[in-house]
Amino acid sequence: MDKLRQVLLIVFAVLAIALSISYRSGHVVPDDFFDARRATADIDPQGWKRLDTDDWLQLANQARQENQLDQAQTFTQQALASNLGSGEAMVQLALLLLHQGKQEQAIQLAELADKLATAQNSTHTYLSAFWSRTKQLDKLLDEWNVLLTRDTSISQSLYPQLQQLTVATPENTPLLDKFAKNPPTWWGSFFNFLVRDEKTPSALLSHLYELRLHSSQPIDSKEMTPYVSRLIKEQQWTEAHAVWLAGLPPEDETFKGLVYDGGFEGDMHNTGFDWFFGSHPQIDIQQELTFGMEGHRALNVKLSGP
């Protein structure tokens, strides 16, 4: 309760400072805080009478790029004064406080931003930068999890950073365990990214895969197949076969311990130790339904060429 009271005092202190600046400068009054957002690329705080949160943040970003940190803080406080629920303004102010060495206040403000403004991706992006600078890697990964879950397009740039932070830094590798135990939507894609990179230790892949086997969500062929292929490439035949067997569907349990022939009627093929349908410019192989067949599917093989 005392900690929450301290956080609230910080927020109200920020508001009081910003309002004081507003009245002294004569640029805004309380009614101006409800102005609608304007689409303006270049905003002059001296020329506008009514600025909204986005305007002030744009000015703050410009001041920060010009290394005018005092002015950036003033503009950020104005942004927060116009909208106390702006998570982006809170975390940007937290970054400025961190730069001033006020780490305890900065962390309290960042934690408040994370609780009050979870819908904005920009907030989580700035929070990622904040937790990175404060070396709180577990919170950094939580922010990356939110961003990757909401926007898979950033995986191309974020996966290498996540790999560098965890796989390339062994003391941080355990941070991945919670995602393997309770996989988010992006986990399978990231696991395949690790599988394809030869620098990823085989022991780590085995550990993460074992955690996935005991998670609440079953492993599908998109995770299993690349991993089996990696084991086969490394000539770890016994391990590859064990992983492949563990991925067989329940109806094929009777084949375990025997030479497997799931037939071309099944859904599993090209996954390691089952039927492989290769490609050839003169051969087309398809599983189809047709008249006169027995079983669930027929194998249609078409030959072409001379």
Side-chain angles (χ1 to χ4, degrees):
M1 182 64 67
D2 291 339
K3 187 174 181 180
L4 179 60
R5 187 179 295 109
Q6 291 176 357
V7 173
L8 292 175
L9 285 174
I10 291 173
V11 174
F12 285 116
V14 169
L15 176 59
I17 293 170
L19 287 174
S20 175
I21 294 171
S22 299
Y23 280 112
R24 287 199 304 270
S25 62
H27 300 316
V28 292
V29 294
D31 290 341
D32 296 330
F33 296 149
F34 302 99
D35 189 19
R37 180 179 180 179
R38 66 174 56 77
T40 305
D42 187 15
I43 306 167
D44 181 4
Q46 305 298 328
W48 290 98
K49 186 171 180 59
R50 303 175 69 182
L51 302 181
D52 63 15
T53 301
D54 295 291
D55 294 333
W56 288 117
L57 285 176
Q58 185 171 332
L59 289 169
N61 288 331
Q62 182 178 346
R64 189 167 52 250
Q65 291 171 7
E66 296 172 354
N67 203 32
Q68 298 176 2
L69 300 185
D70 289 342
Q71 193 173 46
Q73 181 168 341
T74 298
F75 291 150
T76 304
Q77 290 169 338
Q78 292 279 19
L80 189 55
S82 67
N83 179 11
L84 275 177
S86 173
E88 183 175 342
M90 284 185 192
V91 72
Q92 286 201 41
L93 182 58
L95 285 165
L96 289 167
L97 291 174
L98 188 65
H99 182 77
Q100 297 170 7
K102 301 175 181 178
Q103 181 162 329
E104 184 177 353
Q105 292 177 328
I107 289 176
Q108 289 177 341
L109 200 56
E111 290 176 343
L112 185 61
D114 195 26
K115 293 176 181 178
L116 296 182
T118 58
Q120 300 169 312
N121 282 355
S122 59
T123 301
H124 293 285
T125 300
Y126 281 109
L127 281 169
S128 297
F130 182 89
W131 298 127
S132 177
R133 294 181 189 179
T134 56
K135 308 299 182 183
Q136 299 194 48
L137 302 184
D138 55 336
K139 293 185 177 181
L140 168 60
L141 263 60
D142 286 341
E143 300 303 332
W144 282 358
N145 176 31
V146 172
L147 292 170
L148 285 168
T149 300
R150 293 179 177 180
D151 184 7
T152 57
S153 66
I154 66 173
S155 61
Q156 187 174 0
S157 61
L158 206 50
Y159 283 175
Q161 297 182 55
L162 180 55
Q163 180 195 42
Q164 185 66 29
L165 181 66
T166 55
V167 177
T169 312
E171 60 268 25
N172 296 334
T173 301
L175 292 171
L176 293 175
D177 287 2
K178 67 178 181 180
F179 298 115
K181 292 177 181 178
N182 187 22
T185 55
W186 52 269
W187 175 255
S189 174
F190 177 65
F191 181 77
N192 288 341
F193 174 84
L194 295 180
V195 167
R196 293 192 300 269
D197 191 330
E198 295 180 355
K199 297 189 296 294
T200 305
S202 298
L204 174 60
L205 293 175
S206 177
H207 169 70
L208 294 175
Y209 197 84
E210 184 68 21
L211 292 178
R212 276 288 287 114
L213 284 175
H214 295 90
S215 70
S216 58
Q217 301 180 29
I219 293 177
D220 60 22
S221 60
K222 292 180 181 179
E223 287 181 76
M224 181 189 73
T225 302
Y227 183 43
V228 171
S229 298
R230 163 79 180 253
L231 292 171
I232 291 175
K233 183 179 180 180
E234 295 177 346
Q235 298 184 3
Q236 299 186 46
W237 312 111
T238 302
E239 178 67 17
H241 189 251
V243 170
W244 177 80
L245 278 177
L248 286 177
E251 59 268 21
D252 289 339
E253 289 286 329
T254 55
F255 289 103
K256 292 188 176 182
L258 305 173
V259 176
Y260 177 81
D261 180 12
F264 54 77
E265 298 180 53
D267 293 325
M268 289 185 62
H269 54 270
N270 292 18
T271 61
F273 297 89
D274 46 34
W275 279 62
F276 267 74
F277 296 156
S279 59
H280 190 279
Q282 295 178 328
I283 302 176
D284 181 32
I285 302 177
Q286 299 289 338
Q287 294 171 297
E288 294 182 354
L289 299 174
T290 185
F291 294 103
M293 71 177 194
E294 295 182 0
H296 300 290
R297 298 178 184 175
L299 192 66
N300 188 357
V301 181
K302 297 179 182 179
L303 305 177
S304 61

